[in-house]
Amino acid sequence: MGLFWKRKSGDQFVSLNLNEPVPEKAIGREAADEADSITRVESSPSPVSSIAAPVLEPVPAGAGPTPVPSETSTPRTPPVPLRQSEATQAEGSRQKPVPSRSPFATSVLGLNLSIEELQAQEAALEQEFSARFRRAVSATRESLSERLDTVFQGLKQIDENLLDELEEALIAADIGVPTTQHILETVRRGVARKQINDLDALKQAIKNELLTILRQSEKQGVASETSIAANVSPYVMMIVGVNGVGKTTTIGKLAQRIKAEGNDVLICAADTFRAAASDQLAIWAERTGVPLIQQKQGTDPAAVLFDSLKASKARGSDVLIVDTAGRLHNKANLMAELEKMKRVAAREVEGAPHETLLVVDAVTGQNGLEQARQFLKVAGVTGIVLTKLDGTAKGGIAVAIAKELSLPIRYAGIGEKVDDLVVFDPELYVNGLFE
């Protein structure tokens, strides 16, 4: 699997230029400089020039070792005899070579590894990531794929009864009624054309439709941080969502994972409405070693954001993650607050906020979809973070959100560890539902 955070500027990478050929003119200049330096050394007077240098004759292949120059030509100090203990230590040092202390014995960049070893490491990471993703959606897979296996047993063809069972299974997985109806229409067309006549063909048709829906959603919103020019800094991410969906945890994990890849990250605690929000963020900031900008409860969130933007620009931060209020009971105030924050961000950094991510709890199912609709109206959401995907049999909510809101799923929480926040991969997700 690739980097978690792919937005890197060119000056953050070191170019060793090992494979670039040296121009012939440069070689000529280097040779001329070297010859000139030798000439200058030979022509300059030296106190040791009167001593004749020993002449070493070339030794033919297979002959004995080159003779040592005579002591008359180059006098040297006679060796001092070693005591027994020193001689023993010297002998041991000759038998046991001292290990290299070179800093390049191991390399963070993998310079000490061959291409084959690097490819093997990458393949192992891909396999581990795939396995973790399959485990995360196992509950959804059991309620969907295995149910189809049970229904299809003993049937020789796909009929309306099977399609009714399929509809129930899809709705139970929280894929949503509109999405389910769309899938059933595709299946019926395939059955009528005799393109779908067994369970494997049926599953493949469903997988293709789900993958198409998820891919189509990436055409709107912000599907990748690389869509913003690398010279725009800091990259501002606003995180929105109701209280209790894992918003604070998501911010902490995002900060940790982005920082782990060499980026400077700053967190802005702009949820001044809830006292516990800043305390929770402070714990995550201390745990991850990421600086936190916060002010006392009741402070204007836009003012906190302004201070955070100034601090980010002063320290040259790559990413600024902004926590926002998690309330929907007063949408008018929330809308005014978010709009003000966006104006402040856009005034300080070009195009900010570059992403507005809505955190949705996968366990809430269709309630999460309704939350997404409301925040889409007031916050201008550009993408979704789907948390607790590993703790529900209703993981199909990802497809419902992508279909009904046309928003890309940016990240998914597949566990409680810091590295269990992963970039959402539509293909791995769909394959995990049916394998």
Side-chain angles (χ1 to χ4, degrees):
M1 67 193 197
L3 293 172
F4 180 86
W5 184 256
K6 303 180 182 65
R7 189 172 178 269
K8 294 275 189 179
S9 58
D11 58 358
Q12 290 176 291
F13 294 95
V14 178
S15 176
L16 300 178
N17 298 323
L18 298 178
N19 297 323
E20 294 184 4
V22 180
E24 293 183 2
K25 293 182 179 179
I27 296 176
R29 286 196 301 270
E30 291 176 2
D33 293 341
E34 183 178 357
D36 184 57
S37 63
I38 293 174
T39 303
R40 287 196 300 270
V41 171
E42 289 179 349
S43 61
S44 61
S46 173
V48 297
S49 61
S50 59
I51 301 176
V55 178
L56 300 180
E57 297 294 336
V59 180
T66 303
V68 179
S70 172
E71 294 185 1
T72 58
S73 58
T74 54
R76 60 184 180 183
T77 305
V80 179
L82 297 176
R83 292 192 297 271
Q84 181 64 29
S85 59
E86 294 178 348
T88 304
Q89 293 175 0
E91 182 66 24
S93 63
R94 286 195 296 270
Q95 294 177 354
K96 299 179 181 179
V98 179
S100 172
R101 294 179 179 269
S102 169
F104 296 101
T106 58
S107 171
V108 175
L109 299 176
L111 298 178
N112 60 313
L113 302 177
S114 66
I115 294 297
E116 291 76 11
E117 290 172 329
L118 288 172
Q119 290 175 343
Q121 283 188 1
E122 186 174 356
L125 286 173
E126 290 280 3
Q127 187 174 4
E128 178 187 356
F129 177 63
S130 301
R132 288 163 59 195
F133 215 105
R134 284 195 297 271
R135 287 196 298 269
V137 298
S138 60
T140 307
R141 178 172 60 247
E142 291 172 2
S143 69
L144 179 61
S145 183
E146 294 182 7
R147 183 171 179 178
L148 290 179
D149 292 337
T150 303
V151 171
F152 205 85
Q153 287 179 355
L155 296 178
K156 296 182 179 180
Q157 62 181 0
I158 299 176
D159 54 16
E160 283 299 321
N161 291 332
L162 176 62
L163 294 179
D164 290 341
E165 293 284 350
L166 172 61
E167 181 177 8
E168 292 180 10
L170 293 174
I171 292 177
D174 259 346
I175 288 180
V177 175
T179 309
T180 298
Q181 295 299 326
H182 175 76
I183 293 174
L184 288 176
E185 289 176 7
T186 303
V187 170
R188 285 191 174 95
R189 285 197 301 269
V191 173
R193 297 171 183 173
K194 300 190 181 302
Q195 296 172 340
I196 301 175
N197 50 22
D198 57 19
L199 182 58
D200 291 337
L202 175 62
K203 286 185 176 181
Q204 189 60 48
I206 298 173
K207 287 171 63 174
N208 291 340
E209 284 302 313
L210 296 180
L211 190 57
T212 299
I213 291 170
L214 292 170
R215 292 294 188 197
Q216 287 290 335
S217 69
E218 295 179 349
K219 296 182 178 180
Q220 301 188 36
V222 178
S224 173
E225 63 274 10
T226 56
S227 61
I228 305 300
N231 61 346
V232 177
S233 181
Y235 187 95
V236 181
M237 306 171 69
M238 288 183 63
I239 313 298
V240 300
V242 300
N243 299 327
V245 296
K247 184 157 58 79
T248 305
T249 302
T250 297
I251 292 172
K253 290 181 177 181
L254 274 173
Q256 170 64 25
R257 295 222 58 185
I258 297 174
K259 176 191 172 185
E261 292 179 351
N263 301 280
D264 188 273
V265 184
L266 193 67
I267 299 176
C268 169
D271 183 3
T272 58
F273 178 78
R274 188 168 60 99
S278 294
D279 296 338
Q280 292 171 359
L281 274 181
I283 293 173
W284 270 104
E286 182 179 0
R287 184 183 301 172
T288 59
V290 174
L292 172 68
I293 305 296
Q294 60 180 339
Q295 294 186 16
K296 62 181 181 180
Q297 184 181 358
T299 304
D300 184 0
V304 185
L305 176 57
F306 178 80
D307 291 344
S308 301
L309 289 165
K310 289 293 186 182
S312 296
K313 294 165 74 173
R315 61 182 285 128
S317 296
D318 300 296
V319 182
L320 174 63
I321 304 176
V322 184
D323 185 21
T324 61
R327 61 191 189 277
L328 268 178
H329 62 272
N330 193 335
K331 290 186 289 186
N333 288 348
L334 179 61
M335 180 183 291
E337 182 179 293
L338 291 175
E339 285 297 327
K340 185 177 180 181
M341 293 175 67
K342 287 182 178 181
R343 288 196 304 271
V344 169
R347 189 169 63 241
E348 295 298 320
V349 180
E350 179 186 353
H354 305 104
E355 280 194 75
T356 301
L357 296 175
L358 172 64
V359 181
V360 176
D361 185 345
V363 178
T364 60
Q366 292 298 310
N367 288 334
L369 180 58
E370 181 58 30
Q371 292 172 12
R373 291 193 188 99
Q374 296 297 326
F375 268 102
L376 186 60
K377 295 177 183 177
V378 302
V381 178
T382 63
I384 302 293
V385 180
L386 196 60
T387 63
K388 307 175 189 176
L389 189 60
D390 59 318
T392 179
K394 299 182 177 183
I397 188 63
V399 182
I401 290 174
K403 175 65 176 176
E404 298 187 36
L405 303 181
S406 297
L407 287 175
I409 312 295
R410 292 285 281 118
Y411 304 102
I414 59 173
E416 298 180 358
K417 298 179 181 178
V418 169
D419 60 350
D420 284 337
L421 181 71
V422 299
V423 177
F424 184 81
D425 188 317
E427 190 169 353
L428 281 179
Y429 168 78
V430 172
N431 288 336
L433 292 179
F434 290 92
E435 290 182 358

